[in-house]
Amino acid sequence: MSKAHRGTGVRKEPNHGRGTCGICGKEQIKILYDHEIDGKKVKICKFCKAALKNKARRDAKIAKKAAAAAPAAAPEASAEA
């Protein structure tokens, strides 16, 4: 099957969606995603978007473990008093 419509949204962008990534600084890379950094919207590449998503997922997992450990420690402290 033909893929005639692949990338039609990117073709409408200036320079076919290519430019400099706002995070990693790579030049002439497809910058397709808007991201807010320091209150300013910048376009980023898919590699930086994936890295930010993975970092957020790891941080959420660590926070969930810390939250689960905190209530378990509270009853022990009250039992000792």
Side-chain angles (χ1 to χ4, degrees):
M1 302 286 295
S2 128
K3 295 174 175 61
H5 301 292
R6 182 180 286 181
T8 54
V10 175
R11 287 185 214 141
K12 296 173 185 171
E13 295 285 324
N15 203 14
H16 295 277
R18 292 187 177 266
T20 304
C21 178
I23 294 177
C24 64
K26 288 183 185 177
E27 297 176 346
Q28 288 304 310
I29 191 166
K30 287 183 184 174
I31 49 172
L32 304 172
Y33 307 98
D34 291 323
H35 189 73
E36 190 170 325
I37 300 174
D38 299 330
K40 195 174 160 186
K41 285 214 170 211
V42 294
K43 292 262 199 178
I44 61 173
C45 63
K46 74 177 191 177
F47 304 109
C48 291
K49 179 165 174 73
L52 290 170
K53 185 177 179 182
N54 290 334
K55 183 180 183 302
R57 190 169 38 110
R58 283 192 305 266
D59 292 344
K61 188 176 182 180
I62 291 169
K64 186 176 179 182
K65 283 184 181 178
E76 293 172 5
S78 63
E80 293 174 5

